[in-house]
């Protein structure tokens, strides 16, 4: 390990290496420590360094002492890459809220406009184990949502089952977005001509692949939506 004097590199080096700021090494380490219930002293001791060195390590960034960061990542029970650069697959919404956000309701026409023709949404339903939410590829067919799944699969609900469907879009840069919620009863699509027509549409092939020949239509009982934007 390098000496425990104050590391060099300057402000420019810290910024380039992701040390300073709300999403730098120090911030990620601090958040993870809180999740694990570790104090700064405990984390530093387990990683074999002083508290002062731990603090400077977070500010300077990953190229100052990779070995020390690897020990710290092990103590924090997180991958090294996640500690030094952040999660590549983090869920959306990691940024801060806009300065002056406005939340507005969408008219039903606006809801269908945002759903467009196809995409990926979430199906909410009740099971014996409790409520579940499943991602599904969907098509908009008139004023209804349609998806295909496998017989016997978790999304293969019985005809007449009350379900909820939700889709949304988030703009990370503007801290804005919209969400649409459709609730209603499920029905199975059995007409061969309708199935053939749906199968030929863009977006009809599920990302999950496999044989998915059960088509389910969510007949809307209620459609609602909201949008949030900055002013």
């Amino acid at each position: 390990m390098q000496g425990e004097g104050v590391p060099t590199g300057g402000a420019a080096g810290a910024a380039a290496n992701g040390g300073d700021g709300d999403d730098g090494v120090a911030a990620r380490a601090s958040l993870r420590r809180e999740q694990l219930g570790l104090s700064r002293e405990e984390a530093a001791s387990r990683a074999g360094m002083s508290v002062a060195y731990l603090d400077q390590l977070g500010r300077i960034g990953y190229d100052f002492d990779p070995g020390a960061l690897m020990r710290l990542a092990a103590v924090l029970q997180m991958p090294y890459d996640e500690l030094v650069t952040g999660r590549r697959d983090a869920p959306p919404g990691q940024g801060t809220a806009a300065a002056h956000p406005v939340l507005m309701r969408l008219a039903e026409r606006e809801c269908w406009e945002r759903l467009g023709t196809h995409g990926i949404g979430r199906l909410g339903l009740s099971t014996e184990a409790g409520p579940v939410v499943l991602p599904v590829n969907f098509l908009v067919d008139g004023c209804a949502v349609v998806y295909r799944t496998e017989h016997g699969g978790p999304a293969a609900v019985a005809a007449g089952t009350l379900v909820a469907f939700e889709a949304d879009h988030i703009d990370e840069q503007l801290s804005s977005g919209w969400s649409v919620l459709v609730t209603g009863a499920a029905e199975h699509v059995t007409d061969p001509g309708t199935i053939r027509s749906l199968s030929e549409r863009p977006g009809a092939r599920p990302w999950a692949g496999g044989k998915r020949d059960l088509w389910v239509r969510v007949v809307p009982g209620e459609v609602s939506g909201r949008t949030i934007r900055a002013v």
Side-chain angles (χ1 to χ4, degrees):
M1 186 179 82
Q2 297 189 27
E4 293 199 358
V6 176
T8 59
N17 295 326
D20 290 333
D22 294 335
D23 60 348
V25 171
R28 287 188 287 273
S30 177
L31 176 60
R32 184 58 178 158
R33 281 195 300 98
E34 292 178 5
Q35 293 174 337
L36 296 175
L38 292 175
S39 66
R40 290 164 58 244
E41 291 76 13
E42 290 173 323
S45 176
R46 295 182 186 184
M49 64 186 72
S50 69
V51 173
Y53 195 79
L54 172 65
D55 292 343
Q56 292 293 341
L57 189 66
R59 285 195 289 269
I60 292 299
Y62 64 86
D63 65 347
F64 169 71
D65 190 345
L69 281 170
M70 290 183 68
R71 296 197 306 275
L72 179 59
V75 169
L76 297 177
Q77 301 173 31
M78 62 191 303
Y80 173 81
D81 289 343
E82 182 177 339
L83 174 61
V84 299
T85 61
R87 284 184 56 183
R88 301 289 184 178
D89 62 342
Q94 298 289 309
T96 58
H100 303 287
V102 174
L103 183 65
M104 301 177 61
R105 293 187 180 277
L106 296 172
E108 183 171 342
R109 172 186 57 80
E110 295 174 308
C111 291
W112 291 112
E113 287 176 352
R114 280 163 173 75
L115 288 179
T117 58
H118 64 278
I120 293 179
R122 282 154 285 279
L123 180 73
L125 61 148
S126 298
T127 70
E128 294 182 358
V132 298
V133 178
L134 305 169
V136 293
N137 290 83
F138 74 91
L139 302 176
V140 173
D141 184 34
C143 287
V145 171
V146 184
Y147 68 92
R148 64 191 298 184
T149 187
E150 58 183 348
H151 286 276
V157 296
T161 301
L162 296 179
V163 298
F165 171 83
E166 189 271 349
D168 54 58
H169 173 76
I170 294 174
D171 187 319
E172 293 277 6
Q173 298 300 318
L174 299 178
S175 298
S176 62
W178 57 262
S179 65
V180 170
L181 177 65
V182 179
T183 56
E187 68 175 26
H188 293 178
V189 180
T190 58
D191 178 70
T194 302
I195 292 176
R196 183 170 55 254
S197 177
L198 291 171
S199 300
E200 294 173 350
R201 287 181 47 182
R205 184 176 181 181
W207 285 13
K211 185 179 181 181
R212 300 174 185 272
D213 52 7
L214 174 61
W215 286 86
V216 181
R217 177 183 287 114
V218 179
V219 181
E222 183 177 355
V223 180
S224 61
R226 299 184 299 173
T227 181
I228 184 169
R229 60 185 178 85
V231 296

